Coordinates of all heavy atoms in Angstrom, one line a residue:
M1 N 124.9 114.8 94.9 CA 123.5 114.7 94.4 C 123.0 116.1 94.1 O 123.3 117.1 94.8 CB 122.6 114.1 95.5 CG 121.2 113.8 95.1 SD 120.1 113.1 96.3 CE 120.9 111.6 96.8
S2 N 122.3 116.2 93.0 CA 121.8 117.5 92.6 C 120.6 117.9 93.4 O 119.9 117.1 94.1 CB 121.3 117.4 91.1 OG 120.1 116.7 91.0
A3 N 120.3 119.3 93.4 CA 119.2 119.8 94.2 C 117.9 119.3 93.7 O 117.0 119.0 94.5 CB 119.2 121.3 94.1
H4 N 117.8 119.1 92.4 CA 116.5 118.5 91.8 C 116.2 117.2 92.4 O 115.1 116.9 92.8 CB 116.6 118.5 90.3 CG 115.4 118.0 89.6 ND1 114.2 118.7 89.7 CD2 115.1 116.8 89.0 CE1 113.3 118.0 89.0 NE2 113.8 116.9 88.6
R5 N 117.2 116.3 92.4 CA 117.0 114.9 92.9 C 116.6 115.0 94.4 O 115.8 114.2 94.8 CB 118.2 114.1 92.7 CG 118.4 113.7 91.2 CD 119.6 112.8 91.1 NE 119.9 112.7 89.7 CZ 120.0 111.5 89.1 NH1 119.9 110.4 89.8 NH2 120.3 111.4 87.8
T6 N 117.3 115.9 95.1 CA 117.0 116.0 96.6 C 115.5 116.4 96.7 O 114.8 115.9 97.6 CB 117.9 117.0 97.2 OG1 119.2 116.5 97.0 CG2 117.6 117.1 98.7
A7 N 115.0 117.4 95.9 CA 113.7 117.9 96.1 C 112.7 116.8 95.8 O 111.7 116.6 96.5 CB 113.4 119.0 95.1
I8 N 112.9 116.0 94.8 CA 112.0 114.9 94.5 C 112.0 113.9 95.6 O 111.0 113.4 96.0 CB 112.4 114.2 93.1 CG1 112.1 115.2 92.0 CG2 111.7 112.9 92.9 CD1 112.6 114.7 90.6
S9 N 113.2 113.5 96.1 CA 113.3 112.6 97.2 C 112.5 113.1 98.4 O 111.8 112.3 99.1 CB 114.7 112.4 97.5 OG 114.9 111.4 98.5
Q10 N 112.6 114.3 98.8 CA 111.9 114.9 99.9 C 110.4 114.9 99.7 O 109.6 114.6 100.6 CB 112.4 116.3 100.2 CG 113.8 116.4 100.8 CD 114.3 117.8 100.9 OE1 113.7 118.7 100.4 NE2 115.4 118.0 101.6
E11 N 110.0 115.2 98.5 CA 108.6 115.2 98.1 C 108.0 113.8 98.3 O 106.8 113.7 98.7 CB 108.4 115.7 96.7 CG 107.0 115.9 96.3 CD 106.8 116.5 94.9 OE1 106.9 117.7 94.8 OE2 106.6 115.7 94.0
D12 N 108.7 112.8 97.9 CA 108.2 111.4 98.0 C 108.0 111.0 99.4 O 107.3 110.0 99.7 CB 109.1 110.5 97.2 CG 109.0 110.6 95.7 OD1 108.0 111.2 95.2 OD2 109.9 110.2 95.0
T13 N 108.7 111.6 100.3 CA 108.6 111.2 101.7 C 107.6 112.0 102.5 O 107.3 111.7 103.6 CB 110.0 111.3 102.5 OG1 110.4 112.7 102.5 CG2 111.0 110.5 101.8
M14 N 107.0 113.0 101.9 CA 105.9 113.8 102.5 C 104.7 112.9 102.6 O 104.4 112.1 101.7 CB 105.6 115.0 101.7 CG 106.8 116.0 101.6 SD 107.3 116.6 103.2 CE 105.9 117.6 103.6
P15 N 103.9 113.1 103.7 CA 102.7 112.2 103.8 C 101.6 112.7 102.8 O 101.6 113.8 102.4 CB 102.2 112.5 105.2 CG 102.8 113.9 105.6 CD 104.1 113.9 104.8
T16 N 100.8 111.7 102.4 CA 99.7 112.0 101.6 C 98.6 112.7 102.4 O 98.4 112.3 103.6 CB 99.1 110.7 101.0 OG1 100.1 110.1 100.2 CG2 97.9 111.0 100.1
V17 N 98.0 113.7 101.9 CA 97.0 114.5 102.6 C 95.7 114.4 101.9 O 95.6 114.7 100.7 CB 97.4 116.0 102.8 CG1 96.3 116.8 103.5 CG2 98.7 116.1 103.6
I18 N 94.6 114.1 102.6 CA 93.2 114.2 102.0 C 92.5 115.3 102.7 O 92.4 115.2 104.0 CB 92.5 112.8 102.2 CG1 93.3 111.7 101.5 CG2 91.1 112.9 101.6 CD1 92.8 110.3 101.7
K19 N 92.1 116.3 102.0 CA 91.4 117.4 102.6 C 90.0 117.5 102.0 O 89.8 117.4 100.9 CB 92.2 118.7 102.2 CG 91.6 120.0 102.8 CD 92.5 121.2 102.4 CE 91.9 122.4 102.9 NZ 92.7 123.6 102.5
T20 N 89.1 117.8 102.9 CA 87.7 118.1 102.5 C 87.6 119.5 102.0 O 88.2 120.4 102.6 CB 86.7 117.9 103.6 OG1 87.0 118.8 104.7 CG2 86.7 116.5 104.1
V21 N 86.9 119.7 100.9 CA 86.7 121.1 100.3 C 85.3 121.4 100.7 O 84.3 120.6 100.4 CB 86.9 121.1 98.8 CG1 86.6 122.5 98.2 CG2 88.4 120.7 98.5
N22 N 85.1 122.5 101.3 CA 83.7 122.9 101.8 C 82.8 122.9 100.6 O 83.0 123.5 99.6 CB 83.8 124.3 102.4 CG 82.5 124.7 103.1 OD1 81.9 123.8 103.7 ND2 82.1 125.9 103.0
N23 N 81.7 122.1 100.7 CA 80.7 122.0 99.7 C 81.2 121.5 98.4 O 80.7 121.8 97.3 CB 79.9 123.3 99.5 CG 79.2 123.8 100.7 OD1 78.7 123.0 101.5 ND2 79.2 125.0 100.9
G24 N 82.3 120.7 98.5 CA 82.9 120.2 97.3 C 83.6 118.8 97.5 O 83.2 118.0 98.3
P25 N 84.6 118.5 96.7 CA 85.2 117.2 96.6 C 86.2 116.9 97.8 O 86.4 117.8 98.6 CB 86.0 117.2 95.3 CG 86.4 118.7 95.2 CD 85.2 119.4 95.7
L26 N 86.8 115.8 97.8 CA 87.9 115.4 98.6 C 89.1 115.7 97.7 O 89.2 115.2 96.6 CB 87.9 114.0 99.0 CG 86.8 113.5 99.9 CD1 86.8 112.0 100.1 CD2 86.8 114.2 101.2
R27 N 90.1 116.5 98.2 CA 91.3 116.8 97.5 C 92.4 116.0 98.1 O 92.7 116.0 99.3 CB 91.6 118.3 97.5 CG 92.8 118.6 96.7 CD 92.8 119.9 96.0 NE 91.6 120.2 95.3 CZ 90.8 121.3 95.4 NH1 91.2 122.2 96.2 NH2 89.7 121.4 94.7
I28 N 93.1 115.2 97.2 CA 94.2 114.4 97.7 C 95.5 115.0 97.1 O 95.6 115.3 95.9 CB 94.1 112.9 97.1 CG1 92.8 112.3 97.5 CG2 95.3 112.1 97.6 CD1 92.5 111.0 96.8
K29 N 96.5 115.1 98.0 CA 97.8 115.6 97.6 C 98.9 114.7 98.1 O 98.8 114.3 99.3 CB 98.1 117.0 98.1 CG 97.2 118.1 97.5 CD 97.6 119.5 98.0 CE 96.8 120.5 97.3 NZ 97.2 121.9 97.6
G30 N 99.9 114.4 97.3 CA 101.0 113.5 97.7 C 101.1 112.4 96.7 O 100.6 112.4 95.6
A31 N 101.7 111.3 97.2 CA 101.9 110.1 96.4 C 100.7 109.2 96.7 O 100.4 108.9 97.8 CB 103.2 109.4 96.8
F32 N 99.9 108.9 95.6 CA 98.7 108.0 95.8 C 98.4 107.3 94.5 O 98.9 107.7 93.5 CB 97.5 108.9 96.3 CG 97.1 109.9 95.3 CD1 96.2 109.7 94.3 CD2 97.7 111.2 95.4 CE1 95.9 110.6 93.4 CE2 97.4 112.2 94.4 CZ 96.5 111.9 93.4
R33 N 97.6 106.3 94.6 CA 97.0 105.6 93.5 C 95.5 105.6 93.7 O 95.0 105.5 94.8 CB 97.5 104.2 93.4 CG 98.9 104.1 93.0 CD 99.4 102.6 92.8 NE 98.9 101.8 93.9 CZ 98.4 100.5 93.7 NH1 98.4 100.0 92.6 NH2 98.0 99.8 94.8
V34 N 94.7 105.7 92.6 CA 93.2 105.5 92.7 C 92.9 104.2 92.0 O 93.3 104.0 90.9 CB 92.5 106.7 92.1 CG1 91.0 106.5 92.1 CG2 92.9 108.0 92.7
V35 N 92.3 103.3 92.7 CA 92.0 102.0 92.2 C 90.5 101.7 92.3 O 89.8 102.0 93.3 CB 92.7 100.9 93.1 CG1 92.5 99.5 92.6 CG2 94.2 101.2 93.1
D36 N 89.9 101.2 91.2 CA 88.5 100.9 91.2 C 88.1 99.6 91.9 O 89.0 98.9 92.4 CB 87.9 101.0 89.8 CG 88.2 99.8 88.9 OD1 88.8 98.8 89.4 OD2 88.0 99.9 87.7
H37 N 86.9 99.3 92.0 CA 86.4 98.1 92.7 C 86.9 96.8 92.1 O 86.9 95.7 92.8 CB 84.9 98.1 92.8 CG 84.2 98.0 91.5 ND1 84.1 99.1 90.7 CD2 83.7 96.9 90.8 CE1 83.5 98.7 89.5 NE2 83.2 97.4 89.6
D38 N 87.3 96.8 90.9 CA 87.9 95.6 90.2 C 89.4 95.5 90.4 O 90.0 94.6 89.9 CB 87.5 95.6 88.7 CG 86.0 95.3 88.5 OD1 85.4 94.6 89.3 OD2 85.5 95.9 87.5
G39 N 90.0 96.5 91.0 CA 91.4 96.5 91.2 C 92.2 97.2 90.1 O 93.4 97.1 90.1
T40 N 91.5 97.8 89.2 CA 92.1 98.5 88.1 C 92.6 99.9 88.5 O 91.8 100.6 89.1 CB 91.2 98.7 86.9 OG1 90.7 97.4 86.5 CG2 91.9 99.4 85.7
T41 N 93.9 100.2 88.3 CA 94.4 101.5 88.7 C 94.2 102.5 87.6 O 94.4 102.3 86.4 CB 95.9 101.4 89.0 OG1 96.1 100.4 90.0 CG2 96.5 102.7 89.4
Y42 N 93.7 103.7 88.0 CA 93.5 104.8 87.1 C 94.8 105.4 86.7 O 95.7 105.5 87.5 CB 92.6 105.9 87.7 CG 91.2 105.5 87.8 CD1 90.7 104.9 88.9 CD2 90.3 105.9 86.8 CE1 89.4 104.5 89.0 CE2 88.9 105.6 86.9 CZ 88.5 104.9 88.0 OH 87.2 104.6 88.2
D43 N 95.0 105.7 85.4 CA 96.2 106.3 84.9 C 96.1 107.8 85.2 O 95.4 108.5 84.6 CB 96.4 106.1 83.4 CG 97.7 106.7 82.9 OD1 98.5 107.2 83.7 OD2 97.8 106.7 81.6
L44 N 96.9 108.3 86.2 CA 96.9 109.7 86.6 C 98.1 110.4 86.0 O 98.3 111.6 86.3 CB 96.9 109.8 88.1 CG 95.7 109.1 88.8 CD1 95.8 109.2 90.3 CD2 94.4 109.8 88.3
D45 N 98.9 109.8 85.2 CA 100.0 110.4 84.5 C 100.9 111.1 85.4 O 101.3 112.3 85.1 CB 99.5 111.3 83.4 CG 100.5 111.7 82.3 OD1 101.4 110.9 82.1 OD2 100.4 112.8 81.7
G46 N 101.2 110.6 86.6 CA 102.1 111.2 87.5 C 101.6 112.3 88.3 O 102.4 112.9 89.1
R47 N 100.3 112.6 88.2 CA 99.8 113.7 89.0 C 99.9 113.4 90.5 O 99.8 112.3 90.9 CB 98.3 113.9 88.7 CG 98.1 114.6 87.3 CD 96.7 115.0 87.1 NE 95.8 113.9 87.3 CZ 94.5 113.9 87.2 NH1 93.9 115.1 87.0 NH2 93.7 112.9 87.4
R48 N 100.1 114.5 91.3 CA 100.3 114.3 92.7 C 99.1 115.1 93.4 O 99.1 115.2 94.6 CB 101.6 114.9 93.1 CG 102.8 114.1 92.5 CD 104.1 114.4 93.0 NE 104.3 114.2 94.4 CZ 104.6 113.1 95.0 NH1 104.7 112.0 94.2 NH2 104.8 113.0 96.3
T49 N 98.1 115.5 92.7 CA 96.9 116.1 93.2 C 95.7 115.6 92.4 O 95.8 115.5 91.2 CB 97.0 117.6 93.1 OG1 98.1 118.1 93.8 CG2 95.8 118.3 93.7
A50 N 94.6 115.3 93.1 CA 93.4 114.9 92.4 C 92.2 115.3 93.3 O 92.4 115.4 94.6 CB 93.4 113.4 92.1
S51 N 91.1 115.5 92.7 CA 89.9 115.8 93.5 C 88.9 114.7 93.2 O 88.6 114.4 92.1 CB 89.3 117.1 93.1 OG 90.2 118.1 93.4
L52 N 88.3 114.1 94.3 CA 87.4 113.0 94.2 C 86.0 113.5 94.5 O 85.8 114.2 95.5 CB 87.8 111.8 95.1 CG 89.1 111.2 94.9 CD1 89.4 110.1 95.9 CD2 89.2 110.6 93.5
C53 N 85.0 113.0 93.7 CA 83.6 113.5 93.8 C 83.0 113.0 95.1 O 83.2 111.8 95.5 CB 82.8 112.9 92.6 SG 81.1 113.2 92.7
R54 N 82.3 113.9 95.8 CA 81.5 113.5 97.0 C 80.0 113.6 96.7 O 79.2 113.1 97.5 CB 81.9 114.3 98.2 CG 83.2 114.0 98.8 CD 83.3 114.5 100.2 NE 83.3 116.0 100.3 CZ 83.2 116.6 101.4 NH1 83.0 116.0 102.6 NH2 83.2 118.0 101.4
C55 N 79.6 114.4 95.7 CA 78.2 114.7 95.5 C 77.5 113.6 94.8 O 76.3 113.5 94.8 CB 78.0 116.0 94.7 SG 78.4 115.9 93.0
G56 N 78.2 112.7 94.1 CA 77.6 111.6 93.3 C 77.1 112.0 92.0 O 76.5 111.2 91.3
H57 N 77.3 113.2 91.5 CA 76.8 113.7 90.2 C 77.8 113.9 89.1 O 77.4 114.2 88.0 CB 75.9 115.0 90.4 CG 74.7 114.8 91.3 ND1 73.6 114.2 90.8 CD2 74.5 115.0 92.6 CE1 72.7 114.2 91.8 NE2 73.2 114.6 92.9
S58 N 79.1 113.7 89.4 CA 80.1 113.9 88.4 C 79.9 112.9 87.3 O 79.6 111.8 87.4 CB 81.5 113.7 89.1 OG 82.5 113.7 88.1
S59 N 80.2 113.4 86.1 CA 80.2 112.6 84.9 C 81.5 111.9 84.7 O 81.7 111.2 83.7 CB 79.7 113.3 83.6 OG 80.6 114.4 83.4
N60 N 82.5 112.2 85.6 CA 83.8 111.7 85.5 C 84.2 111.0 86.7 O 85.4 111.0 87.2 CB 84.8 112.9 85.2 CG 86.2 112.4 84.8 OD1 86.3 111.4 84.2 ND2 87.2 113.2 85.2
K61 N 83.3 110.3 87.3 CA 83.5 109.6 88.6 C 84.7 108.6 88.4 O 84.8 108.0 87.4 CB 82.3 108.8 89.0 CG 81.2 109.7 89.5 CD 80.0 108.8 90.0 CE 78.8 109.7 90.1 NZ 77.7 109.3 89.3
P62 N 85.5 108.4 89.4 CA 85.4 108.9 90.8 C 85.9 110.4 91.0 O 86.0 110.9 92.1 CB 86.2 108.0 91.6 CG 87.3 107.6 90.7 CD 86.7 107.5 89.3
F63 N 86.3 111.0 89.9 CA 86.9 112.3 90.0 C 85.8 113.4 89.9 O 84.8 113.3 89.3 CB 87.9 112.5 88.8 CG 89.0 111.5 88.9 CD1 89.0 110.4 88.0 CD2 90.0 111.5 89.8 CE1 89.9 109.4 88.1 CE2 91.0 110.5 89.9 CZ 90.9 109.5 89.0
C64 N 86.1 114.5 90.5 CA 85.2 115.7 90.5 C 85.3 116.4 89.2 O 86.3 116.6 88.6 CB 85.6 116.6 91.6 SG 84.7 118.2 91.7
D65 N 84.1 116.8 88.7 CA 84.1 117.6 87.5 C 83.4 119.0 87.7 O 83.0 119.7 86.8 CB 83.4 116.9 86.3 CG 81.9 116.7 86.5 OD1 81.4 117.0 87.6 OD2 81.2 116.1 85.7
G66 N 83.1 119.3 89.0 CA 82.5 120.6 89.3 C 81.0 120.6 89.4 O 80.4 121.6 89.7
T67 N 80.4 119.5 89.1 CA 78.9 119.4 89.1 C 78.3 119.7 90.4 O 77.2 120.2 90.5 CB 78.5 118.0 88.6 OG1 79.0 117.8 87.3 CG2 77.0 117.9 88.5
H68 N 79.1 119.6 91.5 CA 78.5 119.9 92.9 C 78.0 121.3 92.9 O 77.1 121.6 93.6 CB 79.6 119.6 93.9 CG 80.9 120.4 93.8 ND1 81.9 119.9 93.0 CD2 81.3 121.6 94.2 CE1 82.9 120.7 93.0 NE2 82.5 121.8 93.8
N69 N 78.7 122.2 92.2 CA 78.2 123.6 92.1 C 76.8 123.7 91.5 O 76.0 124.5 91.9 CB 79.2 124.5 91.4 CG 80.5 124.6 92.1 OD1 80.6 124.8 93.3 ND2 81.6 124.4 91.4
K70 N 76.6 123.0 90.4 CA 75.3 123.0 89.7 C 74.2 122.4 90.5 O 73.0 122.9 90.3 CB 75.5 122.4 88.4 CG 76.4 123.0 87.4 CD 76.6 122.2 86.2 CE 77.7 122.8 85.3 NZ 78.1 121.9 84.2
V71 N 74.5 121.4 91.3 CA 73.4 120.6 91.9 C 73.1 121.1 93.4 O 72.3 120.7 94.1 CB 73.6 119.1 91.9 CG1 73.7 118.6 90.5 CG2 74.9 118.7 92.7
G72 N 73.9 122.1 93.8 CA 73.7 122.7 95.1 C 74.2 121.8 96.3 O 73.7 121.8 97.4
F73 N 75.2 120.9 96.0 CA 75.7 120.0 97.0 C 76.3 120.8 98.2 O 77.0 121.8 98.0 CB 76.8 119.2 96.4 CG 77.5 118.2 97.4 CD1 76.8 117.1 97.9 CD2 78.8 118.4 97.8 CE1 77.5 116.2 98.7 CE2 79.4 117.6 98.7 CZ 78.8 116.5 99.1
T74 N 75.9 120.4 99.4 CA 76.4 121.1 100.6 C 76.9 120.0 101.6 O 76.4 118.9 101.6 CB 75.4 122.0 101.3 OG1 74.3 121.2 101.7 CG2 74.9 123.1 100.4
T75 N 77.9 120.4 102.4 CA 78.4 119.6 103.4 C 78.5 120.3 104.7 O 78.5 121.5 104.8 CB 79.8 119.1 103.1 OG1 80.7 120.2 103.0 CG2 79.9 118.3 101.8
D76 N 78.6 119.6 105.8 CA 78.8 120.1 107.1 C 80.0 119.5 107.7 O 79.9 118.7 108.6 CB 77.6 119.9 108.0 CG 77.7 120.6 109.3 OD1 78.5 121.5 109.5 OD2 76.9 120.2 110.3
D77 N 81.2 119.7 107.1 CA 82.4 119.1 107.5 C 82.9 119.7 108.8 O 83.4 120.8 108.8 CB 83.5 119.2 106.4 CG 83.1 118.5 105.1 OD1 82.3 117.5 105.2 OD2 83.5 119.0 104.0
Q78 N 82.8 119.0 109.8 CA 83.3 119.4 111.1 C 84.0 118.2 111.7 O 83.6 117.0 111.5 CB 82.1 119.7 112.1 CG 81.3 120.9 111.6 CD 82.1 122.2 111.6 OE1 82.9 122.4 112.5 NE2 81.9 123.0 110.6
K79 N 85.1 118.5 112.4 CA 85.9 117.4 113.0 C 84.9 116.8 114.0 O 84.3 117.4 114.9 CB 87.1 118.0 113.7 CG 87.9 117.0 114.5 CD 89.1 117.7 115.1 CE 89.8 116.7 116.0 NZ 90.8 117.3 116.8
P80 N 84.8 115.4 114.0 CA 83.9 114.8 115.0 C 84.5 114.9 116.4 O 85.7 115.0 116.6 CB 83.9 113.3 114.5 CG 85.1 113.1 113.6 CD 85.4 114.5 113.1
A81 N 83.6 114.9 117.3 CA 84.1 115.0 118.7 C 84.8 113.7 119.1 O 84.5 112.6 118.7 CB 82.9 115.1 119.6
S82 N 85.9 113.9 119.9 CA 86.6 112.7 120.3 C 85.9 112.1 121.5 O 85.2 112.8 122.2 CB 88.1 113.2 120.7 OG 88.0 114.0 121.9
P83 N 86.2 110.8 121.8 CA 85.6 110.2 122.9 C 85.9 110.9 124.3 O 85.1 110.9 125.2 CB 86.2 108.8 122.9 CG 86.6 108.5 121.5 CD 87.0 109.9 121.0
E84 N 87.1 111.5 124.3 CA 87.4 112.2 125.6 C 86.5 113.4 125.8 O 86.2 113.8 126.9 CB 88.9 112.8 125.5 CG 89.9 111.7 125.5 CD 90.1 111.0 124.2 OE1 89.9 111.7 123.1 OE2 90.5 109.9 124.1
D85 N 85.9 114.0 124.7 CA 85.0 115.2 124.9 C 83.7 114.8 125.6 O 83.1 115.6 126.3 CB 84.7 115.8 123.5 CG 85.9 116.5 122.9 OD1 86.9 116.8 123.6 OD2 85.8 116.7 121.6
D86 N 83.3 113.5 125.4 CA 82.1 113.1 126.0 C 82.2 112.8 127.5 O 81.2 112.7 128.2 CB 81.6 111.8 125.4 CG 81.1 112.0 123.9 OD1 80.7 113.1 123.6 OD2 81.1 111.0 123.2
Q87 N 83.5 112.7 128.0 CA 83.7 112.4 129.4 C 83.7 113.6 130.3 O 83.8 113.5 131.5 CB 85.0 111.6 129.5 CG 84.9 110.2 128.9 CD 86.2 109.4 128.9 OE1 87.2 109.9 129.5 NE2 86.3 108.3 128.3
N88 N 83.7 114.8 129.7 CA 83.8 116.0 130.5 C 82.5 116.6 130.8 O 81.5 116.5 130.3 CB 84.7 117.1 129.8 CG 86.1 116.6 129.7 OD1 86.6 115.9 130.6 ND2 86.8 116.9 128.6

């Protein structure tokens, strides 16, 4: 098997990661599909990274177009406390 095929195979087994961007979108990396409320899948042309709007002002929803910078969107993304934290 060629090294190229091995790299693709390993990439496909990596978990999908969704990361919050401070004062910005949700960034998705890995193998994923974006599907609307009617079940229609967006054509992402094989992309393995996308940013989804959280501010609600993008003109390209559900994808981010950077408008969060213009409207002053802010977030307070902190890991929520676990139930065990409340017991101490």
Side-chain angles (χ1 to χ4, degrees):
M1 187 181 301
S2 74
H4 180 69
R5 289 181 189 234
T6 301
I8 291 173
S9 181
Q10 289 173 349
E11 186 176 277
D12 288 341
T13 62
M14 296 298 291
T16 299
V17 175
I18 302 173
K19 180 179 179 181
T20 60
V21 175
N22 192 36
N23 300 326
L26 295 174
R27 182 144 312 128
I28 305 172
K29 291 185 177 187
F32 62 89
R33 293 183 313 139
V34 178
V35 181
D36 73 9
H37 63 282
D38 290 326
T40 303
T41 300
Y42 287 87
D43 180 9
L44 300 176
D45 197 29
R47 287 190 303 178
R48 299 185 62 81
T49 302
S51 296
L52 299 179
C53 176
R54 287 199 293 168
C55 76
H57 295 279
S58 173
S59 61
N60 192 30
K61 289 182 194 120
F63 303 101
C64 175
D65 68 358
T67 301
H68 57 273
N69 292 314
K70 296 175 188 168
V71 299
F73 178 72
T74 60
T75 60
D76 186 16
D77 296 332
Q78 299 293 322
K79 178 181 173 188
S82 68
E84 293 82 28
D85 293 342
D86 291 337
Q87 296 176 4
N88 293 325

